[in-house]
Amino acid sequence: MDTYYFAIVAKPSRNNPDKDLGGAYIHVFVTDSDIENARKRAIHYLDESFWHCENVELSKEILPEQFPLLDALLQLAYSKAQKFGICAHIDAWKSACDPNAPIEIRYRPSTYLPKDWTK
């Protein structure tokens, strides 16, 4: 199985306990043999977690040798995906108007990928 990474912009659904949040950048790791199937699984996983996918900003296969390039939070999510098949890390913001507004305290600070991965 390969491991795929998806950077997704999402909004909380009506049934989300945090429906007052403005939105989130969600980092999803999925183990699968096909990137398109992995993308579908990531979106379904978010739907089941009461998040509506607005846009998949980045889709990328993560090779084992790229693991050290991930920051600590994404390494943890990657490792959990290796164990459970899928894992998401959510960076949410409060204001529906300003995605740069301070995030809720219950969410961890933003995580970043190496710059050359976002090309």
Side-chain angles (χ1 to χ4, degrees):
M1 288 284 183
D2 298 318
T3 302
Y4 298 99
Y5 167 80
F6 302 93
I8 298 173
V9 177
K11 295 227 180 258
S13 71
R14 208 178 354 237
N15 296 327
N16 189 318
D18 293 316
K19 62 184 171 226
D20 58 320
L21 293 173
Y25 294 111
I26 305 179
H27 309 273
V28 186
F29 290 91
V30 182
T31 58
D32 205 293
S33 58
D34 175 72
I35 193 167
E36 184 56 28
N37 192 51
R39 185 189 67 77
K40 289 176 185 175
R41 287 180 55 209
I43 292 169
H44 178 74
Y45 183 72
L46 295 184
D47 286 342
E48 292 289 312
S49 302
F50 306 114
W51 288 95
H52 172 71
C53 174
E54 300 252 305
N55 186 37
V56 178
E57 293 195 341
L58 180 65
S59 302
K60 181 169 183 58
E61 181 180 357
I62 305 296
L63 302 174
E65 57 268 21
Q66 294 172 313
F67 178 82
L69 301 174
L70 300 171
D71 78 359
L73 293 174
L74 292 185
Q75 285 183 353
L76 179 61
Y78 176 97
S79 296
K80 286 182 178 180
Q82 298 305 302
K83 183 175 182 178
F84 300 110
I86 192 165
C87 186
H89 172 77
I90 301 171
D91 288 325
W93 61 83
K94 285 185 180 181
S95 170
C97 302
D98 183 7
N100 296 316
I103 58 175
E104 289 278 303
I105 221 147
R106 64 179 167 253
Y107 293 99
R108 297 177 177 160
S110 294
T111 56
Y112 300 98
L113 293 169
K115 290 183 191 257
D116 62 334
W117 286 15
T118 58
K119 293 180 184 173

